[in-house]
Amino acid sequence: MEAIRPVRRTLLRDRAYEAIRDAIVAGEIEPGTVVRDTELAERLGLSRAPVREAFSRLVDEGLLESKPQSHTRVTPVVAADVRDAAAVVGAMHELITRVAVPRLRGVDVDAMRAANERFAAAVRTGDVDVALAADDELHGVLVRADGNRAAAATIARYTPLIRRLERRRFGEGGTCRSAGLHERLIEACADGDVDEAVRVTARIWRGLEELADEDAH
């Protein structure tokens, strides 16, 4: 029994944050829905304190909005916010790509190829969860190779705003990511062509900015 330690408060807070964030991004908690800490705490098997802390973080990140003494609810998908997030995330990925490409090994490129194969297959079958997970895995190879914690944290913070729009468009029968562009990125990485890898990365994320512009009309 001496080896068993209390679960730290920060872990409970993070658990609440991740669960609520993922439910919002997946559309399980829809835009405009009023969320209550008591209800979510009960569903998550937690006390209200870590859920309230998660709410505060999600408000800061733009997934929740809070009106003092009134309510907390899920924000709508706002095209301008998605565009801004895509611009920031894209800039971070360009920075990461420039540093990471010279560091990649053969096993890293192989991992990117495998992830893109899963991505392409998921797009064909309409499996949004697998497609986006594979997309994360592909770009995650570069993020890990770069090792820039500040850039990685920025990407983690703003990507959920983008994912909500991607999921909605995916559900409408389209996709805003291209297996072909991924393949061009992978080939540039395999060749050690930093400039081309950065150019393709920029094109991928410009596509998401354009998607947000389309959604605004």
Short mmCIF file of all heavy atoms in Angstrom, two decimals, residues 60-120:
data_model
loop_
_atom_site.label_atom_id
_atom_site.label_comp_id
_atom_site.label_asym_id
_atom_site.label_seq_id
_atom_site.Cartn_x
_atom_site.Cartn_y
_atom_site.Cartn_z
N ASP A 60 -10.42 30.33 -22.02
CA ASP A 60 -9.22 31.01 -22.49
C ASP A 60 -8.85 30.58 -23.91
O ASP A 60 -8.34 31.38 -24.70
CB ASP A 60 -8.06 30.73 -21.53
CG ASP A 60 -6.82 31.52 -21.88
OD1 ASP A 60 -6.93 32.76 -22.04
OD2 ASP A 60 -5.73 30.92 -21.98
N GLU A 61 -9.13 29.33 -24.24
CA GLU A 61 -8.77 28.78 -25.55
C GLU A 61 -9.87 28.96 -26.59
O GLU A 61 -9.70 28.57 -27.75
CB GLU A 61 -8.39 27.31 -25.41
CG GLU A 61 -7.13 27.12 -24.58
CD GLU A 61 -6.72 25.67 -24.44
OE1 GLU A 61 -7.40 24.79 -25.00
OE2 GLU A 61 -5.70 25.42 -23.77
N GLY A 62 -11.00 29.54 -26.19
CA GLY A 62 -12.03 29.87 -27.16
C GLY A 62 -13.06 28.80 -27.44
O GLY A 62 -13.90 28.98 -28.34
N LEU A 63 -13.06 27.71 -26.70
CA LEU A 63 -14.05 26.66 -26.92
C LEU A 63 -15.29 26.84 -26.04
O LEU A 63 -16.35 26.31 -26.34
CB LEU A 63 -13.44 25.28 -26.66
CG LEU A 63 -12.37 24.85 -27.68
CD1 LEU A 63 -11.75 23.52 -27.27
CD2 LEU A 63 -12.96 24.73 -29.09
N LEU A 64 -15.14 27.58 -24.95
CA LEU A 64 -16.26 27.93 -24.09
C LEU A 64 -16.32 29.44 -23.93
O LEU A 64 -15.29 30.12 -24.05
CB LEU A 64 -16.12 27.28 -22.70
CG LEU A 64 -16.25 25.77 -22.58
CD1 LEU A 64 -16.03 25.36 -21.13
CD2 LEU A 64 -17.59 25.28 -23.08
N GLU A 65 -17.52 29.94 -23.65
CA GLU A 65 -17.67 31.34 -23.29
C GLU A 65 -18.48 31.40 -22.00
O GLU A 65 -19.41 30.61 -21.81
CB GLU A 65 -18.35 32.13 -24.40
CG GLU A 65 -19.71 31.59 -24.82
CD GLU A 65 -20.25 32.30 -26.04
OE1 GLU A 65 -19.51 33.08 -26.65
OE2 GLU A 65 -21.43 32.05 -26.39
N SER A 66 -18.09 32.30 -21.13
CA SER A 66 -18.72 32.36 -19.81
C SER A 66 -19.27 33.75 -19.55
O SER A 66 -18.58 34.76 -19.77
CB SER A 66 -17.70 32.00 -18.73
OG SER A 66 -18.29 32.01 -17.46
N LYS A 67 -20.51 33.79 -19.09
CA LYS A 67 -21.14 35.04 -18.68
C LYS A 67 -21.29 34.99 -17.17
O LYS A 67 -22.01 34.14 -16.64
CB LYS A 67 -22.51 35.20 -19.33
CG LYS A 67 -23.18 36.53 -19.05
CD LYS A 67 -24.49 36.65 -19.81
CE LYS A 67 -25.16 38.00 -19.52
NZ LYS A 67 -26.45 38.12 -20.25
N PRO A 68 -20.58 35.85 -16.45
CA PRO A 68 -20.59 35.81 -14.98
C PRO A 68 -22.01 35.80 -14.41
O PRO A 68 -22.89 36.52 -14.89
CB PRO A 68 -19.83 37.08 -14.58
CG PRO A 68 -18.94 37.35 -15.76
CD PRO A 68 -19.72 36.92 -16.96
N GLN A 69 -22.21 34.96 -13.42
CA GLN A 69 -23.49 34.84 -12.73
C GLN A 69 -24.63 34.38 -13.65
O GLN A 69 -25.80 34.56 -13.31
CB GLN A 69 -23.87 36.18 -12.06
CG GLN A 69 -22.80 36.78 -11.19
CD GLN A 69 -22.36 35.84 -10.07
OE1 GLN A 69 -23.17 35.17 -9.45
NE2 GLN A 69 -21.05 35.79 -9.83
N SER A 70 -24.28 33.85 -14.80
CA SER A 70 -25.33 33.41 -15.73
C SER A 70 -25.08 32.00 -16.23
O SER A 70 -25.68 31.05 -15.75
CB SER A 70 -25.44 34.39 -16.90
OG SER A 70 -26.42 33.96 -17.81
N HIS A 71 -24.17 31.83 -17.20
CA HIS A 71 -23.97 30.52 -17.78
C HIS A 71 -22.60 30.40 -18.43
O HIS A 71 -21.92 31.40 -18.68
CB HIS A 71 -25.05 30.24 -18.83
CG HIS A 71 -25.00 31.21 -19.99
ND1 HIS A 71 -25.87 32.25 -20.12
CD2 HIS A 71 -24.15 31.30 -21.05
CE1 HIS A 71 -25.59 32.94 -21.21
NE2 HIS A 71 -24.54 32.38 -21.79
N THR A 72 -22.23 29.16 -18.70
CA THR A 72 -21.06 28.85 -19.51
C THR A 72 -21.55 27.97 -20.65
O THR A 72 -22.27 27.00 -20.42
CB THR A 72 -20.00 28.10 -18.69
OG1 THR A 72 -19.57 28.93 -17.60
CG2 THR A 72 -18.79 27.76 -19.55
N ARG A 73 -21.20 28.31 -21.86
CA ARG A 73 -21.68 27.51 -22.98
C ARG A 73 -20.60 27.35 -24.05
O ARG A 73 -19.62 28.09 -24.09
CB ARG A 73 -22.91 28.16 -23.59
CG ARG A 73 -22.67 29.50 -24.26
CD ARG A 73 -23.98 30.09 -24.77
NE ARG A 73 -23.77 31.40 -25.39
CZ ARG A 73 -24.75 32.17 -25.83
NH1 ARG A 73 -26.01 31.78 -25.69
NH2 ARG A 73 -24.49 33.33 -26.38
N VAL A 74 -20.83 26.37 -24.91
CA VAL A 74 -19.91 26.09 -26.00
C VAL A 74 -20.01 27.19 -27.04
O VAL A 74 -21.12 27.58 -27.43
CB VAL A 74 -20.23 24.71 -26.62
CG1 VAL A 74 -19.29 24.43 -27.79
CG2 VAL A 74 -20.13 23.62 -25.57
N THR A 75 -18.89 27.68 -27.49
CA THR A 75 -18.88 28.74 -28.48
C THR A 75 -19.30 28.22 -29.85
O THR A 75 -19.12 27.04 -30.17
CB THR A 75 -17.48 29.36 -28.62
OG1 THR A 75 -16.55 28.33 -28.96
CG2 THR A 75 -17.04 30.04 -27.34
N PRO A 76 -19.85 29.08 -30.68
CA PRO A 76 -20.13 28.69 -32.07
C PRO A 76 -18.81 28.56 -32.84
O PRO A 76 -17.77 29.04 -32.39
CB PRO A 76 -20.97 29.85 -32.60
CG PRO A 76 -20.54 31.02 -31.78
CD PRO A 76 -20.26 30.47 -30.40
N VAL A 77 -18.88 27.88 -33.98
CA VAL A 77 -17.71 27.80 -34.86
C VAL A 77 -17.68 29.08 -35.68
O VAL A 77 -18.51 29.28 -36.57
CB VAL A 77 -17.78 26.57 -35.78
CG1 VAL A 77 -16.56 26.52 -36.71
CG2 VAL A 77 -17.86 25.29 -34.95
N VAL A 78 -16.75 29.96 -35.36
CA VAL A 78 -16.66 31.27 -36.02
C VAL A 78 -15.52 31.23 -37.02
O VAL A 78 -14.37 30.96 -36.66
CB VAL A 78 -16.42 32.38 -34.98
CG1 VAL A 78 -16.28 33.74 -35.67
CG2 VAL A 78 -17.56 32.41 -33.96
N ALA A 79 -15.84 31.50 -38.28
CA ALA A 79 -14.86 31.37 -39.35
C ALA A 79 -13.61 32.22 -39.10
O ALA A 79 -12.48 31.77 -39.33
CB ALA A 79 -15.50 31.76 -40.68
N ALA A 80 -13.79 33.44 -38.62
CA ALA A 80 -12.64 34.32 -38.39
C ALA A 80 -11.71 33.74 -37.33
O ALA A 80 -10.48 33.82 -37.45
CB ALA A 80 -13.12 35.70 -37.97
N ASP A 81 -12.29 33.12 -36.29
CA ASP A 81 -11.47 32.52 -35.24
C ASP A 81 -10.70 31.32 -35.79
O ASP A 81 -9.52 31.10 -35.45
CB ASP A 81 -12.34 32.08 -34.07
CG ASP A 81 -12.96 33.25 -33.33
OD1 ASP A 81 -12.46 34.39 -33.49
OD2 ASP A 81 -13.94 33.03 -32.58
N VAL A 82 -11.36 30.54 -36.63
CA VAL A 82 -10.70 29.38 -37.23
C VAL A 82 -9.56 29.83 -38.14
O VAL A 82 -8.47 29.25 -38.14
CB VAL A 82 -11.70 28.51 -38.01
CG1 VAL A 82 -10.98 27.36 -38.73
CG2 VAL A 82 -12.78 27.95 -37.09
N ARG A 83 -9.81 30.88 -38.91
CA ARG A 83 -8.78 31.37 -39.81
C ARG A 83 -7.57 31.87 -39.03
O ARG A 83 -6.42 31.58 -39.39
CB ARG A 83 -9.34 32.52 -40.68
CG ARG A 83 -8.45 32.86 -41.86
CD ARG A 83 -8.95 34.05 -42.65
NE ARG A 83 -8.29 34.13 -43.94
CZ ARG A 83 -7.02 34.46 -44.13
NH1 ARG A 83 -6.26 34.76 -43.10
NH2 ARG A 83 -6.51 34.50 -45.35
N ASP A 84 -7.82 32.61 -37.96
CA ASP A 84 -6.71 33.10 -37.14
C ASP A 84 -5.93 31.93 -36.54
O ASP A 84 -4.69 31.95 -36.51
CB ASP A 84 -7.25 33.99 -36.02
CG ASP A 84 -7.77 35.33 -36.53
OD1 ASP A 84 -7.50 35.66 -37.70
OD2 ASP A 84 -8.46 36.02 -35.76
N ALA A 85 -6.65 30.92 -36.05
CA ALA A 85 -6.00 29.77 -35.46
C ALA A 85 -5.17 29.03 -36.49
O ALA A 85 -4.03 28.60 -36.22
CB ALA A 85 -7.03 28.83 -34.83
N ALA A 86 -5.72 28.87 -37.70
CA ALA A 86 -4.99 28.17 -38.75
C ALA A 86 -3.72 28.92 -39.15
O ALA A 86 -2.68 28.31 -39.43
CB ALA A 86 -5.89 27.97 -39.98
N ALA A 87 -3.79 30.25 -39.16
CA ALA A 87 -2.61 31.04 -39.50
C ALA A 87 -1.51 30.85 -38.46
O ALA A 87 -0.33 30.69 -38.80
CB ALA A 87 -2.99 32.51 -39.60
N VAL A 88 -1.89 30.84 -37.19
CA VAL A 88 -0.91 30.67 -36.11
C VAL A 88 -0.34 29.25 -36.12
O VAL A 88 0.88 29.05 -36.05
CB VAL A 88 -1.56 30.99 -34.75
CG1 VAL A 88 -0.63 30.58 -33.61
CG2 VAL A 88 -1.88 32.47 -34.65
N VAL A 89 -1.22 28.27 -36.21
CA VAL A 89 -0.77 26.87 -36.22
C VAL A 89 0.11 26.61 -37.45
O VAL A 89 1.13 25.93 -37.36
CB VAL A 89 -1.97 25.91 -36.18
CG1 VAL A 89 -1.52 24.46 -36.39
CG2 VAL A 89 -2.68 26.03 -34.84
N GLY A 90 -0.29 27.16 -38.59
CA GLY A 90 0.51 26.98 -39.79
C GLY A 90 1.90 27.57 -39.65
O GLY A 90 2.89 26.96 -40.07
N ALA A 91 1.99 28.75 -39.06
CA ALA A 91 3.30 29.37 -38.85
C ALA A 91 4.18 28.51 -37.95
O ALA A 91 5.40 28.36 -38.19
CB ALA A 91 3.13 30.76 -38.25
N MET A 92 3.59 27.92 -36.93
CA MET A 92 4.35 27.04 -36.04
C MET A 92 4.82 25.78 -36.77
O MET A 92 5.95 25.33 -36.59
CB MET A 92 3.50 26.65 -34.83
CG MET A 92 3.18 27.78 -33.87
SD MET A 92 4.65 28.56 -33.11
CE MET A 92 4.81 30.02 -34.18
N HIS A 93 3.96 25.24 -37.62
CA HIS A 93 4.36 24.04 -38.37
C HIS A 93 5.46 24.37 -39.38
O HIS A 93 6.36 23.54 -39.60
CB HIS A 93 3.15 23.45 -39.09
CG HIS A 93 2.34 22.52 -38.23
ND1 HIS A 93 2.83 21.31 -37.78
CD2 HIS A 93 1.08 22.63 -37.73
CE1 HIS A 93 1.90 20.70 -37.05
NE2 HIS A 93 0.85 21.48 -36.99
N GLU A 94 5.42 25.54 -39.98
CA GLU A 94 6.50 25.93 -40.88
C GLU A 94 7.82 26.03 -40.12
O GLU A 94 8.87 25.55 -40.59
CB GLU A 94 6.17 27.26 -41.56
CG GLU A 94 5.06 27.17 -42.59
CD GLU A 94 4.77 28.52 -43.21
OE1 GLU A 94 5.73 29.18 -43.65
OE2 GLU A 94 3.59 28.93 -43.23
N LEU A 95 7.79 26.65 -38.96
CA LEU A 95 8.98 26.76 -38.13
C LEU A 95 9.51 25.38 -37.76
O LEU A 95 10.71 25.11 -37.87
CB LEU A 95 8.64 27.55 -36.87
CG LEU A 95 9.71 27.63 -35.78
CD1 LEU A 95 10.91 28.41 -36.28
CD2 LEU A 95 9.14 28.27 -34.51
N ILE A 96 8.61 24.52 -37.33
CA ILE A 96 9.00 23.17 -36.93
C ILE A 96 9.58 22.39 -38.10
O ILE A 96 10.61 21.70 -37.97
CB ILE A 96 7.78 22.43 -36.34
CG1 ILE A 96 7.53 22.91 -34.90
CG2 ILE A 96 7.95 20.91 -36.38
CD1 ILE A 96 6.22 22.45 -34.31
N THR A 97 8.95 22.50 -39.26
CA THR A 97 9.41 21.76 -40.44
C THR A 97 10.82 22.17 -40.83
O THR A 97 11.67 21.32 -41.14
CB THR A 97 8.45 21.99 -41.62
OG1 THR A 97 7.15 21.49 -41.26
CG2 THR A 97 8.92 21.28 -42.87
N ARG A 98 11.09 23.46 -40.79
CA ARG A 98 12.42 23.94 -41.18
C ARG A 98 13.51 23.35 -40.29
O ARG A 98 14.60 23.00 -40.77
CB ARG A 98 12.46 25.47 -41.12
CG ARG A 98 13.74 26.07 -41.69
CD ARG A 98 13.62 27.57 -41.86
NE ARG A 98 12.61 27.95 -42.83
CZ ARG A 98 12.79 27.88 -44.16
NH1 ARG A 98 13.94 27.44 -44.65
NH2 ARG A 98 11.83 28.26 -44.97
N VAL A 99 13.23 23.22 -39.02
CA VAL A 99 14.22 22.68 -38.08
C VAL A 99 14.25 21.15 -38.12
O VAL A 99 15.31 20.53 -38.02
CB VAL A 99 13.92 23.17 -36.65
CG1 VAL A 99 14.87 22.51 -35.65
CG2 VAL A 99 14.04 24.69 -36.57
N ALA A 100 13.08 20.54 -38.29
CA ALA A 100 12.98 19.08 -38.13
C ALA A 100 13.52 18.29 -39.31
O ALA A 100 14.10 17.21 -39.12
CB ALA A 100 11.51 18.70 -37.89
N VAL A 101 13.32 18.78 -40.53
CA VAL A 101 13.67 17.98 -41.71
C VAL A 101 15.11 17.47 -41.69
O VAL A 101 15.36 16.28 -41.94
CB VAL A 101 13.37 18.77 -43.01
CG1 VAL A 101 13.98 18.06 -44.23
CG2 VAL A 101 11.87 18.92 -43.19
N PRO A 102 16.11 18.30 -41.37
CA PRO A 102 17.48 17.77 -41.35
C PRO A 102 17.72 16.72 -40.26
O PRO A 102 18.71 15.99 -40.31
CB PRO A 102 18.34 19.02 -41.09
CG PRO A 102 17.47 20.17 -41.49
CD PRO A 102 16.09 19.76 -41.14
N ARG A 103 16.82 16.64 -39.29
CA ARG A 103 16.98 15.71 -38.19
C ARG A 103 16.28 14.37 -38.42
O ARG A 103 16.46 13.44 -37.63
CB ARG A 103 16.44 16.32 -36.90
CG ARG A 103 17.12 17.62 -36.49
CD ARG A 103 16.50 18.17 -35.22
NE ARG A 103 17.14 19.40 -34.79
CZ ARG A 103 16.78 20.11 -33.72
NH1 ARG A 103 15.74 19.70 -32.99
NH2 ARG A 103 17.42 21.22 -33.39
N LEU A 104 15.46 14.29 -39.46
CA LEU A 104 14.66 13.09 -39.66
C LEU A 104 15.52 11.90 -40.06
O LEU A 104 16.47 12.01 -40.83
CB LEU A 104 13.61 13.34 -40.75
CG LEU A 104 12.52 14.36 -40.43
CD1 LEU A 104 11.62 14.56 -41.64
CD2 LEU A 104 11.70 13.93 -39.23
N ARG A 105 15.13 10.74 -39.55
CA ARG A 105 15.76 9.48 -39.93
C ARG A 105 14.81 8.70 -40.83
O ARG A 105 13.64 9.06 -40.98
CB ARG A 105 16.08 8.65 -38.68
CG ARG A 105 16.99 9.37 -37.67
CD ARG A 105 16.94 8.66 -36.34
NE ARG A 105 15.58 8.70 -35.78
CZ ARG A 105 15.17 7.95 -34.78
NH1 ARG A 105 15.98 7.06 -34.22
NH2 ARG A 105 13.93 8.05 -34.32
N GLY A 106 15.33 7.63 -41.40
CA GLY A 106 14.49 6.81 -42.27
C GLY A 106 13.25 6.30 -41.58
O GLY A 106 12.16 6.26 -42.17
N VAL A 107 13.39 5.93 -40.32
CA VAL A 107 12.25 5.42 -39.58
C VAL A 107 11.17 6.50 -39.40
O VAL A 107 9.97 6.19 -39.35
CB VAL A 107 12.69 4.85 -38.21
CG1 VAL A 107 13.25 5.96 -37.31
CG2 VAL A 107 11.58 4.10 -37.52
N ASP A 108 11.61 7.75 -39.31
CA ASP A 108 10.65 8.84 -39.18
C ASP A 108 9.85 9.01 -40.47
O ASP A 108 8.63 9.19 -40.43
CB ASP A 108 11.38 10.15 -38.84
CG ASP A 108 12.09 10.09 -37.51
OD1 ASP A 108 11.52 9.54 -36.55
OD2 ASP A 108 13.22 10.60 -37.43
N VAL A 109 10.54 8.98 -41.59
CA VAL A 109 9.85 9.12 -42.88
C VAL A 109 8.90 7.94 -43.09
O VAL A 109 7.78 8.12 -43.58
CB VAL A 109 10.87 9.20 -44.03
CG1 VAL A 109 10.16 9.22 -45.38
CG2 VAL A 109 11.74 10.45 -43.88
N ASP A 110 9.33 6.75 -42.69
CA ASP A 110 8.45 5.58 -42.80
C ASP A 110 7.19 5.76 -41.95
O ASP A 110 6.08 5.38 -42.38
CB ASP A 110 9.19 4.31 -42.34
CG ASP A 110 10.28 3.89 -43.31
OD1 ASP A 110 10.26 4.36 -44.47
OD2 ASP A 110 11.15 3.09 -42.91
N ALA A 111 7.34 6.34 -40.77
CA ALA A 111 6.19 6.58 -39.90
C ALA A 111 5.23 7.59 -40.55
O ALA A 111 4.00 7.44 -40.45
CB ALA A 111 6.65 7.09 -38.54
N MET A 112 5.78 8.60 -41.21
CA MET A 112 4.94 9.56 -41.91
C MET A 112 4.19 8.91 -43.07
O MET A 112 3.00 9.17 -43.28
CB MET A 112 5.80 10.73 -42.42
CG MET A 112 6.40 11.59 -41.31
SD MET A 112 7.52 12.87 -41.94
CE MET A 112 6.35 14.02 -42.67
N ARG A 113 4.86 8.04 -43.80
CA ARG A 113 4.20 7.34 -44.91
C ARG A 113 3.06 6.46 -44.39
O ARG A 113 1.96 6.44 -44.96
CB ARG A 113 5.20 6.47 -45.66
CG ARG A 113 6.23 7.23 -46.47
CD ARG A 113 6.98 6.28 -47.39
NE ARG A 113 8.18 6.89 -47.92
CZ ARG A 113 8.21 7.78 -48.91
NH1 ARG A 113 7.07 8.16 -49.46
NH2 ARG A 113 9.35 8.29 -49.33
N ALA A 114 3.31 5.74 -43.31
CA ALA A 114 2.29 4.85 -42.75
C ALA A 114 1.09 5.66 -42.27
O ALA A 114 -0.07 5.27 -42.48
CB ALA A 114 2.88 4.03 -41.61
N ALA A 115 1.36 6.80 -41.65
CA ALA A 115 0.27 7.66 -41.18
C ALA A 115 -0.55 8.18 -42.35
O ALA A 115 -1.78 8.25 -42.29
CB ALA A 115 0.82 8.82 -40.35
N ASN A 116 0.13 8.55 -43.44
CA ASN A 116 -0.61 9.07 -44.60
C ASN A 116 -1.44 7.98 -45.28
O ASN A 116 -2.53 8.26 -45.81
CB ASN A 116 0.36 9.69 -45.61
CG ASN A 116 -0.36 10.60 -46.60
OD1 ASN A 116 -1.31 11.30 -46.24
ND2 ASN A 116 0.09 10.60 -47.84
N GLU A 117 -0.96 6.76 -45.26
CA GLU A 117 -1.75 5.66 -45.80
C GLU A 117 -3.03 5.47 -44.99
O GLU A 117 -4.12 5.26 -45.55
CB GLU A 117 -0.92 4.37 -45.80
CG GLU A 117 0.19 4.37 -46.84
CD GLU A 117 1.10 3.16 -46.71
OE1 GLU A 117 0.81 2.28 -45.86
OE2 GLU A 117 2.10 3.09 -47.46
N ARG A 118 -2.91 5.57 -43.66
CA ARG A 118 -4.10 5.47 -42.81
C ARG A 118 -5.03 6.65 -43.05
O ARG A 118 -6.26 6.50 -43.07
CB ARG A 118 -3.70 5.41 -41.33
CG ARG A 118 -3.02 4.11 -40.94
CD ARG A 118 -2.92 3.97 -39.43
NE ARG A 118 -2.07 4.99 -38.83
CZ ARG A 118 -0.76 4.89 -38.75
NH1 ARG A 118 -0.12 3.84 -39.22
NH2 ARG A 118 -0.04 5.85 -38.18
N PHE A 119 -4.43 7.83 -43.24
CA PHE A 119 -5.24 9.02 -43.51
C PHE A 119 -6.04 8.86 -44.80
O PHE A 119 -7.25 9.09 -44.82
CB PHE A 119 -4.32 10.24 -43.60
CG PHE A 119 -5.02 11.49 -44.03
CD1 PHE A 119 -5.69 12.28 -43.12
CD2 PHE A 119 -5.01 11.90 -45.37
CE1 PHE A 119 -6.35 13.45 -43.51
CE2 PHE A 119 -5.67 13.05 -45.78
CZ PHE A 119 -6.34 13.83 -44.84
N ALA A 120 -5.37 8.47 -45.87
CA ALA A 120 -6.03 8.33 -47.17
C ALA A 120 -7.14 7.28 -47.10
O ALA A 120 -8.23 7.48 -47.66
CB ALA A 120 -5.01 7.96 -48.24
#
